[in-house]
Amino acid sequence: MLNVTPEKLDAAVKRAEEIIKGLTLAEKSGQLSQFGTSIYNDEVHYFEDHYEKGTIGSYLTVGGAEVTNRLQKECKEKFPTHIPILFADDVIHGYKTIFPTPLAQSASWEPEAAKKGAEVAAKEASSAGIRWTFSPMVDIARDPRWGRIVEGYGEDTYLCSKFSEAVVKGYQGEEIGEKDKVLACMKHFIGYGACVGGRDYDAVDMSLNTLYDVYLPPFKAGIDAGAATVMSAFHTFNGVPCTGNKFLLKDLLRGMLKFDGFVISDAGSVWEMKTHGFVENLYDSSKEALKAGLSILMAGDQFNDHIPELIKNGDITEEQIDKALLPVITLKILLGVFEDPFVDPKGEECFFCDEHRAASREMAVKCPVMLENKGSLPLDISKKYALIGPLVDDKENVLGPWALKKEIETTVTIKEGFKNAGINFSYAKGSDFLENNEQDIADAVECAKNCDTVILVLGEKEEMSGEAKSRVHLRIPDAQIELFNKVAEVGKPIILLISAGRPIIVEEFKDRCDSIVYIWQLGTETGNALADLLLGKHDMSGRLTASVPYHEGQLPVYYNKNHTGRPALGKVWYETGYKDMTTDAAYTFGYGLSYTEFEYSDLTLSATEMKKDGSIEVCCKIKNVGKRGGYTVAQLYIRDLVASCVRPIKELKGFEKLYLEAGQERVVKFTLNADDLAFHNQKLERVVEPGKFNLWVAKDSADNTLKAEFSVVE
Ligand code: GLC
C-alpha cells in the first residue's frame, strides 16, 4: 500500500477525481503517455508540440534542473489544464554519484547500506527534476547467462525481499511527497529472470507455486513498503505477455498484493504484444493493455492514437480510462508537483559531494567477495606490487551498466586509489579487454618481473552485462586469459581481482592464484574503496548472492534446489546430475572469506516443537578465532523434510552480519516464526504444514556443520 496516511491519500484521490472530470479525452490519454526525446538536425526535441494539446504526461531519461524547469514552464503556460509533467529515469545504482551495481550491493548483505544508497540517488535525481525512478529491479535470477542478473539482488527470495523493502524506503522516504525523494518502481513484473536459456526477453513458463514462493515475495516486500509504481515486463508469462496479462496485473497485483499505485509498461512492451503474436495490431495491443490494468504506456504516442477510437468503438469505456488515470494524478498530487513543479538549480551542487562520495565508498568496501586467499591479502605496504590489467586505469567500466547520467571523469580509478593509499606499485595495462598487442603484454611481463607480487584486474566491460547482454560464454575474455598466462610465467604470487557485472567462471584460475577477489563494479569510488579493502582497513565482508558455476552447461545453478528422488551423491549410476560434471556451484550462495576466522558453536533452540502460529528462538555462539577484527554473515537455513509440494533442500530464513574483534565472541539470536515456513500447496493455498524440519546456522549455503531439528505441530 502507498506509504501515505489514509487522510492524505483520501484527499488526494478526491482532488484527482475532480481534476479528471475537467480533462478532455485527449488530455486523459496524454497523462497515460510517456515520452523520451528525439534527436534530429543534431538537436534534442521534447515533443513540445504535445503541450498545446495536453497529450503528454511524463518523460523518461529527461533530467537536469534547467531542462525540466523549462519544460514544466512551457507545460504550465501552454497546457490547457496545467497538469505538471512527471520526469522519470533509470536511476538504478546512483544518479551522478554511482554506487556499486545492485548485484554487488546485495553481496554486502546490508540492506540498510543499500537504503542509504537509494537515499543519495533520490536526492541527486530529485535535484535534477527527476521524481520517479525505474528501480528497484527485484527479479530473482538463477542464470548468469542473463545479463540483467547484474541489476537485481541475486538468486534468493528472502535476501532479495529485504533489499527490495530497504531500497523502496530509501527512494520514497517515510511518506510519499517528502523533499529529495522519488517514486520507486518495482520491476519487471514478473518472472523476467526465469527467461528460458537465460535469453533476454524470451518466454517465461513456471508453475504458480514457483511464482508465488520464489518470484513474487520481493515484489510484495516492495509494495508492502509503499512502492508507488510497478513496471510490466516484456516477456510472456505462461503464454500471455505480462503487459496484457489480466491475471498478473489485476488478480495478482491488485487482488493478492493490494497494490494501489499505477503500472507502467516497459519500453515498447505494449506494441510488442503484436510481435509476440498475442494480438493482430497496435489497436488491439492498446486495448489489451488497458483492459489488463496498465496505466502509462512507456515511450510513445500509441495511447494518444488509439484511446479515442477504442472509446468510440466501445472497446474501452471512459470509466476504464479514468480508473487507469486516477492513481497517476493522485501520485502527482502526493508528490506536490502541482504546487511546485520546479526545482532549485542550486540543488545540483550535491552531485558528487563529499557526503555522497563517502556513502558510495562506504557501500563499495562492503561488496567484494574474497573467494580464495593463501596469504597475499591484506596487502603488505612494504612490498612492491605489479598492478596490471585493462580495468586498472579505467573510469567507465568499473561503474557498471545503467549508470546513465555518469560523468566518468569523476571516477576514482583503481590506479588512483592505490596512489591515494600510498601503495607501492608499478602499472601496466596489459590488454585492451578483448584484444592484445605484443608491446602491452611485454610491458606487463616486465612490470611483473620487477615487483614482489602481481595484482591482476581482469573482467568485463560494463556493456558486457545488463539489458540485451545474454551470453553463453561466461568467462574472462580470451585476450585477458592470454595476458594472465604470460604474466603467470614470471612466477610471482598473483592476486586476481575479477570485475564483472554478472558471476563469471573463475575455476581455471583457482589453483594458479594466491588470492581471488570478486570486486564486481564498484562505482565512482572504486579505487579508494578497493585500496581500503586490500590494505585491510576494512575486512573482506562480502558474501555471494548468486552462485558461481563451474561451467555454463550446469546452468541454472542455485543453492535452493530440490532433493529429487535420486539425489546427486555420486554413489550410484542412476542418479540425477551430469556424468561429466558436478551439479554443485564452484562457489555457492552465501560464500565468502574474511581476513580472519570464525568458529560457530552451541546451536540451541528454545524448543524442538512449535505450533503453526508459534515461533522458536535460535541461538548460536560465534567467536572470532583469528588475529584481527572482522565480519561474518551468520545465515539461518531451514529444510522442510516432508511437504505436500516438495520443498528445497535449503531455504534462507534469516541472516545477521556482525563484526567481532579478535578473540571476541557473541551469541546471535534468530526468531523463526512458523509463518516463515509457509509455502503454496497444490491448491495454491499459502499453508504452514506440520512436520519435521532441519535447521542450520551457517557461514554459507553449503556449510552443514551446525544442524538442529524441530517440528511444527497442529
Ligand atoms: C528498458 C528496461 C527497463 C527500463 C526501461 C526504461 O528497456 O527493460 O528496465 O527501466 O527500458 O529505460
Side-chain angles (χ1 to χ4, degrees):
M1 303 292 281
L2 295 176
N3 58 325
V4 62
T5 62
E7 297 73 24
K8 270 191 183 174
L9 180 59
D10 192 43
V13 167
K14 284 191 170 56
R15 184 179 168 193
E17 285 166 343
E18 287 311 304
I19 290 171
I20 291 170
K21 281 179 191 158
L23 296 182
T24 64
L25 188 57
E27 288 167 334
K28 290 178 181 179
S29 66
Q31 287 301 310
L32 302 180
S33 301
Q34 179 176 85
F35 291 84
T37 56
S38 63
I39 311 280
Y40 52 86
N41 305 333
D42 291 336
E43 282 183 354
V44 179
H45 291 267
Y46 298 98
F47 298 94
E48 289 92 337
D49 57 317
H50 281 67
Y51 286 129
E52 285 79 7
K53 297 176 286 182
T55 50
I56 188 164
S58 65
Y59 283 98
L60 77 151
T61 75
V62 173
E66 187 277 326
V67 69
T68 57
N69 283 341
R70 179 166 58 78
L71 294 173
Q72 290 288 19
K73 184 170 177 295
E74 281 197 39
C75 170
K76 205 169 172 67
E77 286 163 355
K78 297 179 182 176
F79 195 140
T81 45
H82 306 305
I83 297 181
I85 299 282
L86 191 53
F87 291 94
D89 204 351
D90 290 287
V91 185
I92 308 299
H93 52 110
Y95 184 65
K96 286 294 183 179
T97 307
I98 303 301
F99 282 69
T101 59
L103 185 62
Q105 291 191 36
S106 70
S108 72
W109 289 62
E110 295 193 35
E112 281 307 300
K115 179 182 177 188
K116 172 68 182 166
E119 288 168 352
V120 169
K123 176 153 173 64
E124 292 192 350
S126 56
S127 301
I130 303 292
R131 298 307 307 273
W132 176 21
T133 179
F134 299 134
S135 173
M137 178 206 164
V138 295
D139 302 315
I140 293 292
R142 294 170 155 175
D143 189 333
R145 290 174 295 180
W146 185 52
R148 302 200 78 166
I149 191 172
V150 65
E151 299 173 47
Y153 300 97
E155 72 191 47
D156 181 73
T157 300
Y158 180 86
L159 187 88
C160 185
S161 300
K162 293 299 178 190
F163 275 86
S164 173
E165 175 188 1
V167 171
V168 166
K169 289 181 174 173
Y171 283 137
Q172 295 191 170
E174 288 310 308
E175 185 170 66
I176 289 176
E178 287 175 8
K179 184 170 166 23
D180 301 335
K181 300 295 180 198
V182 297
L183 299 181
C185 182
M186 310 302 297
K187 71 182 187 184
H188 305 79
F189 202 71
I190 189 170
Y192 193 3
C195 50
V196 64
R199 296 190 293 269
D200 210 347
Y201 316 120
D202 210 323
V204 170
D205 287 277
M206 66 174 73
S207 70
L208 295 185
N209 300 71
T210 299
L211 174 66
Y212 292 165
D213 292 336
V214 177
Y215 293 87
L216 191 63
F219 283 90
K220 181 180 187 313
I223 288 165
D224 289 350
T229 71
V230 165
M231 184 184 294
S232 64
F234 289 116
H235 58 268
T236 53
F237 182 87
N238 292 353
V240 178
C242 296
T243 303
N245 195 315
K246 288 188 197 67
F247 167 68
L248 295 181
L249 301 186
K250 282 191 173 166
D251 304 348
L252 212 46
L253 193 54
R254 305 279 180 188
M256 186 189 279
L257 300 189
K258 306 287 181 254
F259 174 62
D260 55 358
F262 67 80
V263 181
I264 182 170
S265 76
D266 204 334
S269 65
V270 175
W271 60 80
E272 285 173 15
M273 285 197 261
K274 176 174 180 287
T275 319
H276 276 294
F278 182 64
V279 293
E280 283 188 20
N281 52 51
L282 300 190
Y283 175 92
D284 286 343
S285 67
S286 298
K287 178 178 73 176
E288 291 304 324
L290 288 163
K291 283 168 66 178
L294 192 79
S295 284
I296 293 183
L297 179 143
M298 179 186 288
D301 243 337
Q302 189 178 327
F303 274 3
N304 287 331
D305 295 342
H306 293 128
I307 283 177
E309 200 185 350
L310 282 163
I311 289 179
K312 185 160 70 62
N313 297 340
D315 286 327
I316 290 286
T317 65
E318 189 142 5
E319 288 70 31
Q320 283 174 301
I321 297 299
D322 293 352
K323 192 172 178 191
L325 191 48
L326 186 58
V328 176
I329 304 299
T330 300
L331 279 159
K332 285 190 175 185
I333 291 166
L334 290 170
L335 276 175
V337 291
F338 278 88
E339 283 67 35
D340 183 9
F342 304 106
V343 288
D344 176 356
K346 284 173 58 66
E348 293 184 342
E349 290 170 5
C350 76
F351 295 167
F352 304 109
C353 68
D354 292 348
E355 181 196 343
H356 292 178
R357 279 184 173 273
S360 178
R361 180 171 179 171
E362 189 183 327
M363 171 49 105
V365 295
K366 299 172 186 288
C367 304
V369 179
M370 186 156 71
L371 301 178
E372 305 288 346
N373 188 26
K374 302 182 183 78
S376 286
L377 288 174
L379 299 181
D380 176 344
I381 204 74
S382 68
K383 285 188 175 177
K384 183 170 183 186
Y385 292 91
L387 190 53
I388 299 172
L391 283 151
V392 170
D393 197 20
D394 173 279
K395 287 185 173 288
E396 180 162 24
N397 295 294
V398 295
L399 298 179
W402 288 107
L404 300 184
K405 298 300 186 291
K406 61 194 168 194
E407 294 177 22
I408 63 171
E409 65 284 354
T410 64
T411 304
V412 179
T413 66
I414 295 171
K415 186 181 172 191
E416 288 162 343
F418 272 49
K419 189 158 175 280
N420 296 342
I423 297 169
N424 182 9
F425 71 94
S426 296
Y427 160 68
K429 183 175 68 166
S431 162
D432 276 325
F433 282 99
L434 305 177
E435 54 192 26
N436 292 332
N437 65 61
E438 283 179 22
Q439 190 54 54
D440 283 347
I441 297 264
D443 293 348
V445 169
E446 198 56 30
C447 181
K449 283 177 179 169
N450 298 319
C451 292
D452 302 310
T453 299
V454 173
I455 301 173
L456 256 174
V457 189
L458 306 178
E460 289 186 329
K461 300 185 84 164
E462 62 86 13
E463 69 201 27
M464 294 168 72
S465 286
E467 184 175 354
K469 302 297 183 345
S470 294
R471 284 179 21 222
V472 168
H473 296 104
L474 304 180
R475 297 170 190 261
I476 298 284
D478 291 345
Q480 295 178 54
I481 291 179
E482 182 195 1
L483 168 65
F484 180 94
N485 291 336
K486 293 289 188 194
V487 168
E489 286 169 12
V490 173
K492 301 288 176 66
I494 293 177
I495 297 167
L496 176 60
L497 306 182
I498 304 280
S499 174
R502 63 177 16 121
I504 52 179
I505 293 161
V506 295
E507 192 48 32
E508 57 200 293
F509 302 107
K510 186 171 181 175
D511 299 327
R512 304 175 66 192
C513 297
D514 196 83
S515 308
I516 301 179
V517 182
Y518 222 96
I519 65 170
W520 312 106
Q521 290 152 336
L522 294 175
T524 299
E525 283 288 317
T526 291
N528 288 330
L530 202 54
D532 289 347
L533 207 48
L534 297 180
L535 284 170
K537 291 179 184 171
H538 188 288
D539 185 28
M540 282 285 182
S541 68
R543 299 292 183 267
L544 290 175
T545 55
S547 302
V548 179
Y550 285 103
H551 191 283
E552 298 90 346
Q554 293 179 294
L555 296 173
V557 166
Y558 48 95
Y559 86 94
N560 43 355
K561 57 192 173 187
N562 281 3
H563 193 258
T564 81
R566 297 189 177 190
L569 303 175
K571 290 182 177 163
V572 295
W573 184 255
Y574 296 100
E575 65 180 31
T576 186
Y578 310 104
K579 293 308 170 197
D580 55 355
M581 183 164 286
T582 173
T583 57
D584 294 334
Y587 296 99
T588 189
F589 175 84
Y591 174 82
L593 300 176
S594 299
Y595 283 138
T596 184
E597 301 290 330
F598 292 89
E599 195 174 77
Y600 286 32
S601 63
D602 300 351
L603 174 60
T604 59
L605 305 184
S606 58
T608 54
E609 282 192 355
M610 68 169 140
K611 289 197 175 298
K612 290 167 70 170
D613 58 357
S615 64
I616 287 179
E617 300 296 320
V618 181
C619 293
C620 172
K621 189 186 292 180
I622 297 180
K623 182 172 184 177
N624 180 342
V625 294
K627 298 185 178 62
R628 53 158 288 155
Y631 289 87
T632 188
V633 180
Q635 300 158 40
L636 173 67
Y637 293 96
I638 60 103
R639 180 187 174 187
D640 187 344
L641 293 167
V642 177
S644 60
C645 286
V646 296
R647 307 300 302 139
I649 57 172
K650 270 189 184 168
E651 293 177 75
L652 182 73
K653 294 296 179 186
F655 62 87
E656 181 174 339
K657 182 171 184 179
L658 58 150
Y659 179 86
L660 295 175
E661 293 298 348
Q664 187 185 1
E665 67 180 32
R666 224 187 83 196
V667 173
V668 294
K669 182 186 285 188
F670 299 99
T671 299
L672 181 67
N673 299 305
D675 190 62
D676 298 331
L677 310 173
F679 66 95
H680 288 80
N681 65 14
Q682 295 177 43
K683 295 177 189 164
L684 293 177
E685 298 155 338
R686 185 175 184 275
V687 296
V688 175
E689 291 181 349
K692 290 192 173 70
F693 290 76
N694 287 340
L695 174 148
W696 298 265
V697 174
K699 297 174 187 172
D700 60 54
S701 59
D703 173 13
N704 299 316
T705 317
L706 279 186
K707 176 181 172 182
E709 294 168 1
F710 69 92
S711 298
V712 171
V713 297
E714 287 290 355

